[in-house]
Structure formats: C-alpha cells, structure tokens
Amino acid sequence: MTTTVAISGLTKTFTGVRALRGINLEIRAGEVLALLGENGAGKSTMLKILSGDYAPDDGTIALNGEHVVLRSSIDARRRGIRVIAQEPEIVHDVTVAENIFIGNLPRRARAFSAGRVRANTRDALAEYGFSDTLDAAALGGTLSPAQRQLVEIMRGLVDRPEVIAFDEPTSSLTENEVEALFRLIRRLRDDGVAVVYVSHRMHEIFRIADRVAVLRDGELAGVRELAETDEAELVRLMVGRDLGSLFQRTRVVDGAEVLRVEGLENDDVHDVNLTVRAGEVVALAGLIGAGRSELARTIIGDLPHREGSVSVDGVRVTLGSPADAIRAGIGLAPEERKAQALLLQRSVRDNMSLAILDRISRVRVVRRREERRIVAALIDRMRVRTPDMETEVRTLSGGNQQKVVLGRWLARRPKVLILDEPTRGVDVGAKAEIYAVIDELASSGTAVLVISSELPEVIGLADRILVMQGGRIVGEVDHADATEEAILALALPKSEPIVSA
Amino acid sequence: MTASKETRVSATTQPPALRAPESPPRPKSPARSLFARIGVQNLSLVIALILLIAVIGWQDPNFFRYQNLLSIGTSITVFGILAIVQTLVILLGALDISVGSVAGLTSVVSAMVFTSTASSWMGIGAALAAGLACGLVNGLIIVYGRVNAVIATLATLAAFKGLAQILSGGRSQGYTGNDPVFTALGRGTFLGIPVLIYLFVFIAVAAALVLKYTDIGRNIYAIGGNPTAARLSGINLNRYIVGVYVLVGTVAGLAGVLLTARTGSGQPVSGSEGLELESITAAALGGAALTGGKGTITGTVLAVILLGVLSNGLTVLGVNPFWQNVAKGALLVIAVVIQQRRSGQRAVGLPA
C-alpha cells in the first residue's frame, strides 16, 4: 500500500500547553485511518495542521514522498488535502450549488453562471449518489444538520482530493445517514483515496476503519491494525487509565427538590417538565440540535417562553432575563466559553468576580481586598494554572479558561447551576478536576444540571439522565442502568431518514 | 524555509500576549510599577507627547509661556470632556456621533433660556436637561428600536442640528458676555488656572474612578468585552446602554453651555460641528478599541492633550491650518496601526 502522507516528529504548542508532541504517522492511499482520542487529545490540532490552518512548531509532512509546507487551507487544498469540518459554515442566502462551489465558482470571464454551477452540482450529487438527499437549488438556510454536513462533504469531493479527513462527521447524523456516509467513505477508499476518520465513537470505528491511531494528551499512544485489536485495548490507549477513575461520586442525593420546570414551551423547546434535587447531578443528553442549550437558556429567561413555569425551592421564578434567574438562584455556564462566557481581554480576577460584584460592593464601590481574597481561594481550590490573578484570560489554556468560568459560579453559589458542555475542548487532566468540582458542588447541596454530548461523561457524572430529541424530553435513564446504547437509542430520531440508499 | 515558518507561526498564534504566563513573576521595582501603572499603550502616548513638546519648544520657546500653556488647557476642555464620555460609549462597544449636534443645540438653548428668563442658572439647567433628553432619545432608539448605534446617532446628528437651526433661525442667539456666571465659566480663573481646566480634570477623574473602582465600571468593560457573557452574568445591558447615552447627552449639554460661555452667545453650528469626530479621534488615539471593552480614561486624556499640543504647536510654528488636519489624521492612523501590530492580528479581511 502506498503512503500518501508521512508525518514525522510533528509538534505543536499553545501557550505552554503541548497540543501535539513528536507524532509520527503514515496516512496510506486506499485505506481508512481512524484517529481516536478524547477531546483535547490533539485530534483537532492534527487536522488543523493537515488543513494548513496551523503551522507545526516542529516536524515535517511529506506528501507522496515530497516534503511540503502547508501555508494555508487554500495551499493544502491545492495539494489535494481536504479536511471536512465538523460544524460546516453554510451561507444561508445562497443555493446548495453555490455553497458547494464557494470560492471556486465556475464563470466565464468574470460573469458567474448560475446555470452552470447548478448543473455541475447535479452531476456531482448524482455521481456520489446524493441526488435524492440534496436539492442543488435549495437555499443554505433551509438545510437540516445532516444536509449541511453533506454540503461540506461535497465541497471536499468536487476537488477530487488525494487525502480526505472527516472530523466527527456523524455527530448530527441519524443511523441511516451514517450508513450512507460509510458507503461513500468505502467507495472513496476503493478509489485509492487516503481517508482519515476522526471520531471517539468506538462502534463506528470498528465498522469503517482499517487502521486506528490513538492520541492521548498530544502523544501517539499507539497505532493498531483494526483486525488485531479490540475495544478494551483502544479504550486503555485512549484514556491511559480506567475510565471510572475520572469520575468521583462522594455525594448522596437525599436533598429536597430545588428546581422544577413545568410545561415549558417555545419555538425550540416543547412541553418540558423536569426536576432537580439538592445535591443531585442531572444530565441532559441528546444530539446536537436536540434543544438542550435552548432549554437551558429558556430556563434562565434568556429565550422567551410561551407557556410553562420554572420554580426554585417552590417559588416561581420570573422568566424575564438572566438577571432575574440569578436573583432567584439559577446560574448558567454557557456552551461556548470564549463567545458567551469570558471577557478574554480582562483578567482572571475580573472574570471570576463578574457575577458577584453586587455582593462585594458597598455603595457601588467594589471591595477589592474582599474580591482578591475570594478569587485567590477559588484559583487555589480549582487549581487554575495562571501566573497570577491579573493575567488576561485569553492567555490561559482551554481547561483553565473553563475553570475560570466555573469559578465565576462557584463564587456566586447559586442554588441551581446549569453547565452547558463544561468539558468541551478540555484536556483529560482538567476534565477530572472539573468533574471533581461538580461533584463537590453537588455534595454541598447545589442542584446541578449538566448538558453534555459526550456519553461517557453523561454516564459517569450524572445521577439521572434526561434524553432530549426535537426539543422534547423523550426519556429518562437512571445512573445505575445507563449505557451508551440505551441513551443513543432514545436520542436518535425515528422519523423518515433523509438520506436514502 | 526557517524564516517563512517563523512568520507563519507568529501569524497564527498571536505570540506576544500568549507568552506572558510563562514569564516569571515580575520584581516590583518602583520604575517598573510606575510603568505598569501607566501601561505600555499610554507610555507610547507619553513618549510621543514628550517628543512633540521637545520639537515645538526647540523651534519656538514661546510655546512654554504660561499663557500659551493655559490656552492649550482651555482649548482642549470642550472636546476633552466629550472625548471622555465618548470613551465610555466606546467601551460599551458603541459610538455616539451626535455629541456635536447636541452641544450646538444646548448652546442655543442655554442662550435663549438665559435671554428670556434673565437667569444664567435657568439657562444652564435648561441646556443640561436638553442634553439629557437628547441622550435619552439616543439610548431609547438604540435599545428599543434595535437601531445600530452608529446609524441611530448619525440620524440624531442631523436631527439635533436641524432642531438647533430651527430654534435659532440659524443665527447666534443672545448675549451672555455680561453675565457673571457665564463669564466665570468661560474665562474665569481660580488660583490662576482657568475654570475650564478644573471642569475637564473633574470629569476625567470622576470617570476614571468610576471605571476603576465601582461595579458600574466593571460592568461597562464586561458589556463591551462580551455582551453575552455580561448578560448571562446578570448585568442589565439596557440600563447601562441608556444610562451611558444619557450621561453623554448631559455632558454634551455642559459642552454646549461652555461653548456659549466662551463665545458669549448661543451657537447652533459654529464651534460644535465636528466635535463628534474629534472626540472619537481622541478616544481611538488613546487606545480605546471600537469593538468595545478595551480602553482607559488615562489614555484618552493623554490623547486629548497630545492633540491639543499638536494643534497649538503647529499654530505657534505658523503651519498652515489645513496641514494641521493632515497631521492629526496621520497621527491617528499611525497610532492605530501600532496598536494592531502589537495585538498580532492577521492581515485578513476587515480588522476587528
């Protein structure tokens, strides 16, 4: 089998955090190489280097035996390397055809030909068997998550790349769509394309991959032929320890009901009822787009509601604004820490004290000594790795930034804390520390609602798991009975598949 | 190969700031802590100011005469107080383009009310109230009309100017030159220093203290830095936005009163036109980022002084006033380019 890409000694460091260290790896033509690893293990960094978005600090990449430096994503694409993004950027107001050929629109002189781009798209869709799934003339804004994913895949395919990498392509696909995607991948492989498939879903890897490379904390933990390995070995390589030890459970759930949500209804959330007791960790599981983040924002009054109510300790909360919710004792640490939670250009201190300024101010003057004392204690307790509390938050690593976000709410100590994807993009060490903090919070009587797309995390962390789909809670699984399969079965829609054979 | 690799690394990872946490804790020598307090940003303004003063003073020692220094002080007050409140708006991530028109309108109001009531305090009160109302209108249009702040205040820039012209019939109004209160404001001194300078210092210090020591200041930075984070942390964004616009309107009202006091009559357009751009220039030169959440009053005050010294110095040196505008523009572009270089932005698309 010919080696298409040979990577050697690849190293990349961000702010003192080593994202990749001395990776040696071959990507071969006519083979599906699975890249396995936890969030923060270095998979994304690896793909971003392949796509030309990041420059490695050290190490080389050889393409068909020739040493290459990928200067940008355009450069990588021109050389035949294509990375399919997990969350594709789709232009809402133009057609599928133009979305696919974006940046490379066929034209005569400078005149853009809408007819030609549409015809080219139809040909390409027919060639790969997606004519029934995607309408070339549909507008980008009308597409489902699966269709958006398909647009992104078609963008890559029309370039006829030599190397194609899929970054967790199935996270928003139903079972039938996954099957169609796998047929496509097998076909690409048989045509001699070198395929990289990034996922942390074990069963998918066993269905599609020929070889598996496992990354752990930025290092290559091992490469195995699929036929010669099993799930247990891969998990061991991936986690480096028993998965169970990441989670601790010192709490006993025996508190009274704190949060009660009844009949909550708006455009994204339908007739949601749930309760969380003091000291309990309840997880909201479901696919991307199931309405979990929207539910969280509705509970804190950040999205308008049509019907329903939220109460804390039996007292009904005014659902007007996050400020009302915070006064009533509900806090939300949102999904996107950089976009929604952090003041990146301000200090760790400013960020951690943001939600308690009203408490530590006298006649509007912030008591700075009190502030410093509280922040110092939190930095210590959460093991935030920062030179000092005046350091700008943007210079910290993802895990430490996330701890700052959590610290803001630890300072406030709300009765109910909603955490949306609290460990996204965080390394394993920081993850364990965040899990410990969540357990500690619950032990001290906080009612915790966690939204997570990582099933091992959901199972390890929660006392009860609520599964959402299409804005509704469709099932509840107790911690004792929870398996990934049981949760997935509830989370996947059973409606008509949009990808047909 | 090596060189190209290095440039790429720096282009993609924003190096200068990122390296900070690895440096060992700074020793606290007095010079260093003074530097830290001034800030790198402001330090470059201080250096520019010293160079400028050195060059002008070397060319014409008359520059250092007490009277000349005082005239710089009085000439910067009106646009200086506007630059300070403009900084607050910019920190929120917005702009107020209407301040010049508000100053013109309130100048007319102060003179007309003074003329009809014969009370300078009524005139001043009416001007401040009118400024407050203008600010309230701006804030409400922006928050509840969901109109972009630039568009909203661009609209009121025209509308308030029109109002000033309608009220005044396009002519200067009244005569306040004989009134003790107006003359004290415009030309009075206390301990040998003009009242105008006291006003500028007072407003600057008050704004700086509020920003640094109160939760109001912290929340303003938070709103401009990340409005979503601010909202989810329980800050009432609408109250802050309307509040800051009301403050700006009121201070623009004060600027209008000062215009009346200095010229002796209410001026609908002359003296106030262009103040909006001058105030934004000073704030930007002082390091306030138009994206919000970044900037200091110290920076703005230094920039105000720098601009004041520049125009006074060029006048003292007999430079054609048209060239002074070119000099101001060049200064602003150079300052912002330096800032952006420092923040390590990639040269792709529209700058943040």
Side-chain angles (χ1 to χ4, degrees), chain A residues 229-242:
Chain A
T229 185
D230 58 20
E231 196 170 327
E233 186 190 24
L234 291 182
V235 169
R236 217 164 35 246
L237 286 172
M238 199 162 88
V239 184
R241 56 182 140 170
D242 185 16

Side-chain angles (χ1 to χ4, degrees), chain B residues 67 73 199 223 308:
Chain B
Q67 280 311 315
L199 273 174
I223 292 169

Side-chain angles (χ1 to χ4, degrees), chain B residues 48-61:
Chain B
L49 190 57
I50 291 171
L51 285 177
L52 189 64
I53 290 173
V55 170
I56 296 170
W58 169 57
Q59 290 286 322
D60 184 353

Side-chain angles (χ1 to χ4, degrees), chain A residues 47 82-89 148-149 152-153 155 165-169:
Chain A
L47 288 187
R82 190 73 198 218
V83 176
I84 307 296
Q86 186 183 5
E87 278 157 31
E89 301 292 335
R148 296 159 64 97
Q149 188 71 50
E152 173 71 7
I153 292 171
R155 280 178 186 161
F166 294 90
D167 187 3
E168 308 209 7

Side-chain angles (χ1 to χ4, degrees), chain A residues 297-335:
Chain A
R297 288 181 55 199
T298 311
I299 291 175
I300 64 155
D302 196 38
L303 286 179
H305 71 296
R306 270 195 300 275
E307 267 167 63
S309 68
V310 172
S311 24
V312 173
D313 285 340
V315 182
R316 201 166 156 160
V317 182
T318 323
L319 289 179
S321 70
D324 292 333
I326 288 169
R327 257 190 302 274
I330 313 177
L332 167 68
E335 188 177 9

